[in-house]
């Protein structure tokens, strides 16, 4: 148990990679750990794309919000919510009046995919292989759908880059919010103004006072940098396109 906790607690998002290749044996261990993750009704409503093609990695480094480090990853894993296989299987089984996958199926598939992805991240870390989550895979609906040959009843719920940490690189650990503001017992607790200010106090203290957004506090900074940014608007648009098939 301590080894598992140490593995989880020692992880950081890795965006710079050593030149060493990931062995097929280690990669298979990571994937095997992913597919052993808990899954709704044991239905495994997800698929995993193993990206090794340099051209696809290059494209993803551009379509995923122009992040050059993505193309330098030794391997990329994309976790899809995948209801297509079940829908096609029901047809093979000659199920009458098949209901197309709905939002309930979509959400279960997303849950499955992300749980499997986290299993892969922990397994990779235990093998000395770093990772970085890339949420931007949910953007650029048309481009990613074509690039990855994705059918209608799939959705790229998560993507991770994998590679070894460069030698002598110091890991930088980022603070998380205090658990008192994240963990509530039995029912949800709406935080009051003082609690919100205390929750974000360390963020407020560390934020740059001079910034391109002329933000006076951390809330203004993040809203402009993240929530209302162009990539966020595009992600919202694309996700709506992804789920159209599930809302018909």
């Amino acid at each position: 148990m301590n080894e598992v906790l140490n593995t989880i607690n020692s992880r950081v998002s890795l965006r710079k990679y050593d030149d060493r290749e990931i062995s097929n044996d280690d990669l298979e261990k990571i994937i095997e750990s992913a597919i052993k993750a808990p899954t709704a009704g044991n239905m495994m409503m997800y698929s995993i794309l193993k990206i090794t093609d340099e051209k696809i990695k290059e494209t993803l480094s551009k379509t995923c919000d122009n992040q050059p480090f993505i193309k330098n990853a030794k391997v990329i894993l994309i976790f899809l919510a995948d209801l297509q296989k079940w829908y096609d299987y029901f047809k093979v089984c000659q199920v009458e009046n098949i209901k197309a996958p709905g939002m309930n199926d979509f959400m279960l598939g997303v849950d499955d995919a992300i749980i499997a992805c986290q299993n892969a991240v922990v397994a990779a870390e235990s093998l000395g292989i770093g990772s970085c989550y890339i949420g931007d895979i949910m953007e650029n609906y048309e481009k990613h759908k074509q690039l990855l040959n994705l059918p209608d009843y799939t959705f790229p719920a998560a993507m991770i880059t994998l590679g070894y940490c460069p030698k002598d690189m110091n890991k930088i650990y980022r603070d998380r919010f205090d658990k008192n503001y994240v963990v509530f017992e039995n029912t949800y607790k709406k935080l009051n103004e003082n609690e919100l200010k205390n929750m974000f106090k360390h963020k407020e203290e560390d934020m740059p006072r001079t910034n391109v957004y002329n933000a006076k506090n951390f809330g203004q900074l993040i809203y402009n940098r993240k929530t209302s940014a162009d990539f966020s608007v595009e992600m919202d648009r694309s996700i709506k396109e992804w789920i159209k098939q599930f809302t018909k």
Side-chain angles (χ1 to χ4, degrees):
M1 176 61 73
N2 286 337
E3 290 184 7
V4 175
L5 291 176
N6 289 336
T7 297
I8 293 173
N9 292 332
S10 67
R11 182 193 174 272
V12 298
S13 291
L14 190 65
R15 294 177 172 85
K16 187 176 181 180
Y17 308 103
D18 190 81
D19 290 334
R20 287 175 292 166
E21 298 293 333
I22 299 173
S23 70
N24 289 332
D25 184 55
D26 280 352
L27 189 54
E28 283 304 307
K29 289 177 181 176
I30 293 169
I31 292 173
E32 283 293 328
S33 295
I35 65 177
K36 289 179 181 177
T39 166
N42 201 32
M43 294 176 72
M44 296 182 69
M45 292 181 284
Y46 65 92
S47 291
I48 304 171
L49 303 184
K50 180 173 64 175
I51 309 298
T52 55
D53 184 280
E54 296 302 325
K55 290 183 179 179
I56 296 179
K57 289 196 287 183
E58 172 81 27
T59 299
L60 289 171
S61 73
K62 296 174 182 177
T63 57
C64 291
D65 205 26
N66 294 306
Q67 300 183 81
F69 78 90
I70 292 174
K71 66 184 177 184
N72 299 323
K74 297 304 176 183
V75 178
I76 293 172
L77 296 180
I78 299 175
F79 292 77
L80 306 173
D82 183 3
L83 286 304
Q84 188 69 52
K85 287 183 290 192
W86 278 98
Y87 185 67
D88 292 343
Y89 177 63
F90 292 148
K91 285 185 176 180
V92 169
C93 292
Q94 299 181 345
V95 174
E96 296 182 0
N97 301 317
I98 300 174
K99 178 185 79 70
M103 282 302 297
N104 60 320
D105 303 300
F106 174 83
M107 288 306 303
L108 288 173
V110 169
D111 287 347
D112 273 7
I114 292 176
I115 293 168
C117 185
Q118 178 63 9
N119 257 32
V121 165
V122 174
E125 192 72 23
S126 72
L127 296 168
I129 298 169
S131 60
C132 182
Y133 277 96
I134 309 295
D136 304 284
I137 190 60
M138 295 185 289
E139 297 174 36
N140 288 306
Y141 164 76
E142 295 83 3
K143 293 179 181 178
H144 289 155
K145 187 176 175 67
Q146 181 178 18
L147 177 70
L148 304 171
N149 192 34
L150 299 180
D152 287 340
Y153 297 125
T154 60
F155 171 71
M159 171 173 139
I160 54 172
T161 56
L162 296 172
Y164 290 100
C165 183
K167 295 177 181 178
D168 302 323
M169 177 181 173
N170 292 323
K171 290 184 175 181
I172 299 175
Y173 297 92
R174 297 188 178 185
D175 291 334
R176 298 293 197 251
F177 292 120
D178 188 282
K179 65 181 180 182
N180 289 327
Y181 305 116
V182 179
V183 182
F184 309 132
E185 189 162 352
N186 296 320
T187 58
Y188 182 81
K189 177 183 177 182
K190 185 174 172 61
L191 302 179
N192 60 37
E193 182 176 337
N194 287 333
E195 289 170 325
L196 286 169
K197 287 182 177 179
N198 286 329
M199 175 181 176
F200 287 91
K201 184 178 179 181
H202 66 289
K203 300 286 189 182
E204 233 17 278
E205 292 173 347
D206 292 339
M207 74 164 278
R209 294 302 158 184
T210 302
N211 55 79
V212 297
Y213 306 106
N214 294 318
K216 298 177 181 179
N217 53 54
F218 186 70
Q220 292 178 9
L221 180 68
I222 290 300
Y223 183 83
N224 285 285
R225 183 193 290 173
K226 297 283 188 181
T227 306
S228 66
D230 289 344
F231 82 88
S232 184
V233 173
E234 164 55 25
M235 185 181 291
D236 182 62
R237 182 200 72 83
S238 280
I239 290 175
K240 288 174 181 175
E241 291 297 322
W242 287 112
I243 65 176
K244 274 184 179 178
Q245 294 299 323
F246 296 89
T247 57
K248 288 183 178 178

